[in-house]
Amino acid sequence: MTSFIGAPIGRVDGRAKVTGAATYAAEFRPPGLVYAALATSSIAAGQLTALHTAAAERAPGVLLVLTHLNAGKLPYQSPAARAAVDPVAGEQLRVLQDARIFFSGQPIAVVVAETQAQATYAAALVRATYAVDTSARTQFDPAQARPTSLAAAKRGRGPETRQGDPDTALAAAPVQVDQRYVQPRMHHQAMEPHATIAHWQGEQLTLWSKSQWVGNERDAIALVFGIPAANVRVINPYVGGAFGSALRTWPHVTLATLAARRAGRPVLLELTREQLFYSIGFRPRTEQRVALGAEATGQLTAIVHEAVGQTSTYEEFAEATLDVPAVTYACPNRRTSYRLVDMHTNTPCPMRGPGHVTGLLVQEIAMDELAAALQLDPLELRLRNFAERDFRKDLPWSSNQLRACYQAGAERFGWQRRTPTPGSMRAGSLRMGLGMATALNPAPRYPIQASATLLPDGTIVVRSATSDMGPGTYTSATQVAADTLGVPLGRVRFELGDSALPPAKEHGGSTTMASVGPAVQAACQDLRRQLDMLAGRPVDLTTTDLPGLLRHAGLLQLQASGSAGPNATPPTHSTYGFGAVFAEVHVDPDLGIVRVARLVGAYDAGRIINPRLARSQCLGGMVGGIGMALMEEATWDPRFGRVLNANLADYHVPVNADVHELDVLFVPSEEPLMNPLGVKGLAELGLCGVAPAIANAVWHATGKRVRELPITVDKLLD
């Protein structure tokens, strides 16, 4: 029997995507569809004193203009427990429920018209007057930061942790590094804008909505409108990129649902590119201090890591910024501090590697600075401080091939050619720099259910309400099913992205394959057992007349189910994915232009189900890391509480010309304790470590240490 697990199979949904057959949220067309557009606030904080909508209401094709004056009150019931993707405290924006303004860009009206052009034009006619709050908090000021809440602490994001006596150890350390670093506000910039089509049919509501967690969107909207969750169905078979932005349910989903109920027709509300900067979340600006103390041998004796992030005034978004740095290296004395600045902005949200990438970024730059102070090779410094276990929890790793990642990556990259002195290497007329960083990301597993159904024509349909925003869930789940059943790939069809399917948790946190895969495997194993019982013997699904077997048993189809529990790793172990990233940059000495000539990433992600898809995930992470290091920054205007570059022309992301040689390798590894497939999460691991490796390479090329990203020409020429 051919084994499909581990095979580099092309995407089973690839043809649908490249031919346009794949249908995204905004592309469904229920009969009678009409279109909506938003009018938004132009102030950062205050009250609406008047709304002038008459011109919009008279505009051609307009069916409805909703504001807080006529939208009616929505129940906004509280959940029994907050979803893991939601902020830890506060209340979601209760859209069109009163006159308060919490941030610039907040929706203040929604216009429904026969065409999108008519709705957009009419929304531009809405005029508002305000009572402006002159004390609006639009400046990121670390001096105004507060400790995180008790709710954040319960999620492991508390204000402070301490191990040993770090301050005394730091003061006594022969070699010290103590620096501050800034990572700016960043936005997801997925190809597909967020959109929702809402369609009421009596008391039943169907939402075609961009979502990474259709079950959570169903439950969230049911609570907002005070209706049973069973009355709501969320459908989203394809997601055109999200990077975490579609994990929670945003106000535009509520607005589309409300508008459809009032208009009596299905309504499409699709956000513009500019509105994406205000209507969904973002990676928050974070300023950090890292202080490292070490012996002359390079052995760490003290780590102090302090982080200040931003959140909105109406919700508390707390990131796991300090989690990964707390376990990366062995050190007996450690202190972390995490605080938040409340600002009049929309609420941040998870963005690929939320918190983990942010904390690892500055830790890995600080480790490079320590290596320079010690006159020690950066890779050797990391090896001397290798963490043999999770020292934060005092637990052994469930598996850890980080040393193999260091070795394999360094050999592939040619790290031994690096000369220690900054500016000492050349690529023709350009300065060459080589840098590296450790990659680390948690590898959790969530409870998932799946079903496997044998149809009369011999096709096996496997279903789960997970999502696929690009990693290849359709393909990898099909591979697991075909491998478990022992049938060709073409006999299996995997269906996802529908809240009516067996429930699944969020498609995020690099958890999908580790969670969905075992559930699919269990469902297919159950189907095999049932077929063996029907036949009275072990069945070969490739040669047995399965339709005949069903007919003989008097069945039209045969359905099986399976589930996978939460993290199967015993509480006696800690589970992470590991990696090492190596970067080569070329810098023009006169112009300060940086080119990332080469990236090599070596990863331990457990068993690789599909190396072709896995490589693609890491390539995407590398491209994102180039953007994080050199380009991406939301330019914030504190006068108005707005992003000045809220478009794809001015918010710079890497394009083809910025991406050169990217090399990915996976070290042999399996995760024996976590799940039956032996896999660990990969997607976010591919971003971890990339930006600091590039930053460290830029320092090696130029001798200039840029501690506020992105590394732009002006900072190198200054």
Side-chain angles (χ1 to χ4, degrees):
M1 182 185 74
T2 300
S3 176
F4 295 109
I5 292 181
I9 293 164
R11 296 175 184 264
V12 298
D13 55 328
R15 180 175 293 274
K17 288 183 174 179
V18 300
T19 60
T23 308
Y24 294 83
E27 296 177 329
F28 288 87
R29 288 295 178 267
L33 181 68
V34 291
Y35 301 83
L38 299 179
T40 60
S41 165
S42 60
I43 67 165
Q47 296 270 340
L48 284 163
T49 57
L51 269 171
H52 310 282
T53 61
E57 291 164 350
R58 292 194 301 267
V62 170
L63 304 173
L64 183 68
V65 179
L66 287 175
T67 71
H68 72 282
L69 299 172
N70 63 351
K73 296 300 178 184
L74 296 173
Y76 277 96
Q77 297 171 349
S78 299
R82 287 178 183 264
V85 298
D86 287 341
V88 296
E91 290 187 349
Q92 65 178 296
L93 182 68
R94 300 196 170 192
V95 65
L96 302 192
Q97 295 299 287
D98 55 43
R100 290 179 295 174
I101 300 298
F102 294 97
F103 59 90
S104 186
Q106 176 180 326
I108 57 174
V110 58
V111 177
V112 179
E114 294 286 353
T115 70
Q116 186 64 67
Q118 290 171 336
T120 302
Y121 170 72
L125 299 177
V126 174
R127 296 287 181 267
T129 56
Y130 306 93
V132 177
D133 182 354
T134 56
S135 63
R137 283 170 276 178
T138 57
Q139 184 75 47
F140 185 91
D141 182 3
Q144 300 299 315
R146 60 168 175 81
T148 55
S149 66
L150 179 61
K154 288 180 178 178
R155 285 202 191 177
R157 300 168 190 180
E160 185 166 322
T161 65
R162 184 181 293 269
Q163 174 186 351
D165 188 355
D167 296 306
T168 300
L170 179 65
V175 183
Q176 301 175 22
V177 166
D178 192 341
Q179 297 291 348
R180 297 186 179 273
Y181 307 86
V182 177
Q183 172 239 285
R185 172 172 171 155
M186 297 171 59
H187 289 259
H188 302 74
Q189 301 295 18
M191 286 189 294
E192 178 198 19
H194 285 246
T196 297
I197 296 174
H199 184 23
W200 290 89
Q201 294 171 293
E203 296 300 313
Q204 299 296 313
L205 171 65
T206 300
L207 297 172
W208 293 273
S209 188
K210 177 172 179 172
S211 174
Q212 293 172 242
W213 190 0
V214 290
N216 183 60
E217 189 132 308
R218 172 200 61 205
D219 297 344
I221 289 299
L223 289 170
V224 169
F225 285 84
I227 60 177
N231 288 14
V232 184
R233 182 182 180 187
V234 180
I235 301 171
N236 191 211
Y238 294 97
V239 182
F243 312 109
S245 66
L247 282 169
R248 70 175 300 197
T249 302
W250 297 107
H252 72 274
V253 184
T254 297
L255 290 173
T257 304
L258 178 61
R261 187 166 69 175
R262 293 290 295 272
R265 292 170 66 176
V267 169
L268 164 61
L269 177 53
E270 183 172 5
L271 299 177
T272 66
R273 182 62 59 176
E274 181 181 7
Q275 288 167 354
L276 292 173
F277 283 77
Y278 305 104
S279 297
I280 64 171
F282 54 93
R283 192 190 300 279
R285 179 183 178 90
T286 307
E287 299 190 6
Q288 300 177 71
R289 174 200 175 208
V290 178
L292 304 177
E295 301 287 357
T297 59
Q299 191 66 45
L300 286 166
T301 58
I303 298 177
V304 175
H305 194 157
E306 301 168 347
V308 180
Q310 71 180 140
T311 188
S312 66
T313 58
Y314 57 96
E315 288 179 306
E316 181 181 26
F317 178 76
E319 285 197 311
T321 306
L322 302 171
D323 285 10
V324 165
V327 302
T328 309
Y329 301 110
C331 183
N333 304 289
R334 190 187 311 263
R335 176 170 61 81
T336 69
S337 169
Y338 183 47
R339 295 176 297 152
L340 293 171
V341 177
D342 298 320
M343 294 180 62
H344 283 98
T345 178
N346 50 315
T347 305
C349 77
M351 184 172 173
R352 195 173 197 173
H356 308 130
V357 166
T358 304
L360 194 65
L361 165 73
V362 301
Q363 174 188 258
E364 289 304 291
I365 296 176
M367 284 291 285
D368 201 69
E369 298 204 50
L370 180 61
L374 289 162
Q375 296 184 342
L376 187 65
D377 180 90
L379 177 54
E380 179 61 27
L381 175 64
R382 287 162 172 82
L383 288 169
R384 292 186 187 185
N385 291 281
F386 186 85
E388 299 289 351
R389 60 195 289 115
D390 180 342
F391 285 92
R392 180 182 56 172
K393 297 180 180 178
D394 194 24
L395 294 175
W397 308 111
S398 58
S399 66
N400 184 336
Q401 296 297 323
L402 179 56
R403 277 199 179 96
C405 293
Y406 285 143
Q407 180 178 351
E411 289 178 358
R412 180 76 67 90
F413 182 74
W415 180 254
Q416 73 282 354
R417 63 195 164 103
R418 181 183 186 270
T419 56
T421 305
S424 60
M425 299 184 72
R426 292 290 188 275
S429 63
L430 304 177
R431 291 182 178 179
M432 178 194 297
L434 306 183
M436 62 85 57
T438 301
L440 205 72
N441 200 62
R445 173 184 170 191
Y446 294 150
I448 301 283
Q449 295 182 29
S451 66
T453 304
L454 174 62
L455 300 181
D457 64 356
T459 300
I460 297 105
V461 180
V462 182
R463 299 180 173 99
S464 183
T466 185
S467 296
D468 188 346
M469 61 173 165
T473 311
Y474 277 109
T475 306
S476 55
T478 299
Q479 287 178 254
V480 171
D483 197 87
T484 305
L485 294 167
V487 301
L489 285 173
R491 290 271 301 279
V492 177
R493 184 173 76 246
F494 186 61
E495 296 180 355
L496 53 68
D498 187 335
S499 63
L501 300 180
K505 297 285 281 185
E506 63 262 36
H507 174 52
S510 303
T511 61
T512 302
M513 196 63 241
S515 305
V516 175
V520 167
Q521 184 183 52
C524 292
Q525 289 171 340
D526 185 37
L527 183 62
R528 287 196 69 119
R529 283 192 293 268
Q530 292 191 44
L531 287 169
D532 290 349
M533 290 177 62
L534 284 180
R537 57 179 172 77
V539 172
D540 183 341
L541 274 68
T542 61
T543 59
T544 302
D545 179 11
L546 296 178
L549 187 61
L550 288 178
R551 288 193 301 270
H552 185 265
L555 299 172
L556 293 177
Q557 62 182 28
L558 184 63
Q559 181 167 318
S561 62
S563 62
N567 236 355
T569 307
T572 54
H573 291 77
S574 184
T575 305
Y576 280 76
F578 302 90
V581 182
F582 297 82
E584 176 183 328
V585 303
H586 297 167
V587 183
D588 187 307
D590 299 315
L591 302 178
I593 297 172
V594 179
R595 291 283 182 262
V596 180
R598 188 176 180 218
L599 288 171
V600 173
Y603 301 101
D604 162 20
R607 190 182 188 188
I608 302 298
I609 300 298
N610 186 319
R612 186 173 178 180
L613 296 177
R615 179 178 180 272
S616 178
Q617 280 292 285
C618 292
L619 294 181
M622 288 177 170
V623 173
I626 294 172
M628 188 175 191
L630 304 180
M631 303 172 190
E632 294 193 53
E633 176 183 19
T635 305
W636 181 256
D637 188 337
R639 297 171 302 167
F640 308 109
R642 295 189 70 85
V643 177
L644 292 176
N645 56 337
N647 55 72
L648 276 180
D650 299 317
Y651 183 97
H652 296 160
V653 296
V655 297
N656 287 347
D658 301 307
V659 180
H660 297 276
E661 184 179 347
L662 307 181
D663 194 2
V664 175
L665 60 149
F666 300 104
V667 301
S669 171
E670 286 201 19
E671 177 49 64
L673 299 178
M674 184 177 175
N675 58 66
L677 289 175
V679 303
K680 293 192 282 191
L682 174 62
E684 291 168 305
L685 181 63
L687 177 61
C688 292
V690 178
I694 294 171
N696 294 338
V698 171
W699 171 81
H700 184 241
T702 65
K704 285 210 166 193
R705 185 71 71 176
V706 179
R707 300 186 180 92
E708 180 170 354
L709 296 189
I711 302 170
T712 49
V713 168
D714 57 306
K715 294 171 185 173
L716 291 178
L717 295 181
D718 182 15

